Amino acid sequence: MRGEGEEEADIDRLPIDLLAHIFSLITSFKDLAQASRACRKWKQGVEESLARRETLSFSGWKMDDECTTRLVHLAYSLKDLDISRSRWGCQITDYGLHQLSMAKCVSNLSSVSLWGLTAITDEGVIQLISRATSLQHLNIGGTFITDASLFAIADSCPHLKTLVLWGCRQVTENGLVVLVNKCCKLESINVWGMRVPMDCFLALLTISPSLRIQPKEMLLNYDRIRMLPVH
């Protein structure tokens, strides 16, 4: 309670809607956490600002399962989620993906990046993907997923348009064929660094002639080799 003659600070007179808008302009999750501890009204403003966000990127932040899931569960309108590993590294595990899969926003996500999260496995990816049925863009490059994750994507993501599998060396031709057969809206797939024979990519183009296989230099180099004269 304020003492006699003590005036209310200007910012405390702001309505929750305006406070939420101000907090939505803050990009530092550390600053938001500090703001939410200031008072009950500010905490409500921070939570409301998160509920309005359509994009969350933790790239560049040192996040763990608990911090990430707590924020995502508050972001009811979220459509674009980036928890890719960067310089500091997101320490996300299968447990974190399992918790994320239960957030209200998951079924509305159109874009997810799990790039470089080496602590996750098929178990966590499948749990998340099975509920992210609106996905159009998915980046799981730099992880140790196998065909099991691709089978889950093929079954759960009919709207998928782009997929990054950069460096996913545990994925085989079988997984790619099933994926391209079932994801009829798939437009682009990045397969750099994968241990899959070149003939597999040609087979994918037979299934979906308009599919863009990235990087495109791979197929160009293959065509050049095939055109070389045999002595």
Side-chain angles (χ1 to χ4, degrees):
M1 295 180 63
R2 293 184 178 82
E4 187 177 348
E6 194 175 321
E7 293 187 4
E8 186 178 29
D10 288 341
I11 194 167
D12 289 333
R13 299 174 186 170
L14 296 177
I16 289 295
D17 281 352
L18 188 51
L19 269 178
H21 175 70
I22 293 171
F23 290 137
S24 70
L25 303 176
I26 298 177
T27 58
S28 169
F29 297 111
K30 182 179 180 181
D31 291 343
L32 284 175
Q34 291 175 340
S36 68
R37 290 194 291 266
C39 64
R40 185 178 299 176
K41 187 174 182 180
W42 279 36
K43 180 180 180 182
Q44 185 181 350
V46 169
E47 290 181 352
E48 202 161 308
S49 74
L50 287 169
R52 297 178 182 181
R53 293 199 183 198
E54 294 189 356
T55 300
L56 272 181
S57 176
F58 301 119
S59 181
W61 295 94
K62 191 172 184 179
M63 305 292 290
D64 57 20
D65 290 335
E66 183 182 353
C67 294
T68 303
T69 54
R70 183 169 63 248
L71 289 169
V72 172
H73 274 260
L74 291 171
Y76 304 121
S77 303
L78 194 63
K79 293 182 179 179
D80 185 342
L81 176 61
D82 180 359
I83 52 177
S84 56
R85 189 177 189 276
S86 61
R87 183 167 60 115
W88 297 108
C90 287
Q91 306 300 320
I92 307 300
T93 67
D94 285 340
Y95 174 77
L97 294 186
H98 178 80
Q99 295 298 107
L100 287 175
S101 72
M102 294 185 284
K104 291 182 179 179
C105 64
V106 167
S107 61
N108 295 321
L109 288 175
S110 61
S111 178
V112 170
S113 177
L114 306 175
W115 189 90
L117 297 181
T118 54
I120 64 174
T121 68
D122 288 322
E123 182 181 352
V125 173
I126 292 170
Q127 180 69 30
L128 178 63
I129 293 302
S130 64
R131 301 194 180 190
T133 54
S134 298
L135 271 186
Q136 296 181 29
H137 310 284
L138 177 61
N139 185 342
I140 44 177
T143 65
F144 297 116
I145 63 151
T146 70
D147 287 346
S149 288
L150 292 198
F151 297 153
I153 295 169
D155 289 335
S156 304
C157 304
H159 307 293
L160 193 67
K161 293 182 178 179
T162 65
L163 177 63
V164 176
L165 294 172
W166 187 97
C168 293
R169 299 192 172 189
Q170 309 302 317
V171 170
T172 71
E173 179 179 358
N174 188 30
L176 289 171
V177 169
V178 170
L179 177 82
V180 174
N181 264 312
K182 289 191 175 183
C183 293
C184 300
K185 296 183 179 180
L186 191 63
E187 299 173 357
S188 173
I189 184 170
N190 189 313
V191 296
W192 189 92
M194 295 178 64
R195 295 174 176 171
V196 177
M198 192 61 62
D199 287 344
C200 168
F201 303 134
L202 299 178
L204 298 183
L205 291 175
T206 301
I207 299 169
S208 177
S210 61
L211 180 66
R212 296 195 306 273
I213 296 179
Q214 306 290 344
K216 60 183 180 181
E217 291 80 9
M218 292 178 59
L219 293 180
L220 291 175
N221 291 337
Y222 180 73
D223 287 340
R224 292 193 188 102
I225 292 173
R226 288 198 307 168
M227 292 174 62
L228 290 175
V230 179
H231 297 289

